[in-house]
Amino acid sequence: MTTDAFLADCRARLAFDLLSNTWNAVLIWVLRDGPKRPGELRERIGSISPKVLTETLRRLEFNGLVTRHAHDEAPPRVEYELTALGRTMLSPIDTLGSWAFEHGEEVMAAQERMRAGTPSP
C-alpha cells in the first residue's frame, strides 16, 4: 500500500466511507431479509428519524446498494431492497459485528478508563 492509498478517489476509502456511516450498515443489515417499507424500517431500527432514514436510503441508492420500488397503487406504496451489490456488503458488516460482539467489552472498558482519566494498562 502506498502513502496515497486513502486519497478521496481510493477504492479502500470508498468502502470505509460506506461502512463508517452508522445508518448505512444498519439499513443494509435490516434489508438483508428482503424488501421493506419505510415504516417497517423505522419500526425495526427504532431510533432513526424519518428525515435521516430518507437521507440514508437515498445515499444507499445513489451508491447502488439499495433500490427503490414505487408501486402504482392507492395509497402509494414504496419499498426498498438491497441490490446484488448491496448484498455483498453483508459479509463485511457481519464480520465487523462479530468483532464488536467479541471485543465490545474491551472497547467500553477502555472508554471508561479514559473518562476516568486513567490511561490504558
Side-chain angles (χ1 to χ4, degrees), residues 69-111:
H69 300 285
H71 299 275
D72 190 21
E73 304 174 347
R77 181 170 58 101
V78 174
E79 291 180 320
Y80 293 89
E81 75 176 310
L82 293 176
T83 62
L85 179 62
R87 297 195 79 67
T88 67
M89 293 293 287
L90 292 172
S91 180
I93 292 169
D94 186 47
T95 300
L96 284 171
S98 295
W99 179 90
F101 186 78
E102 184 176 338
H103 300 285
E105 293 296 325
E106 296 168 73
V107 172
M108 290 188 288
Q111 291 172 352

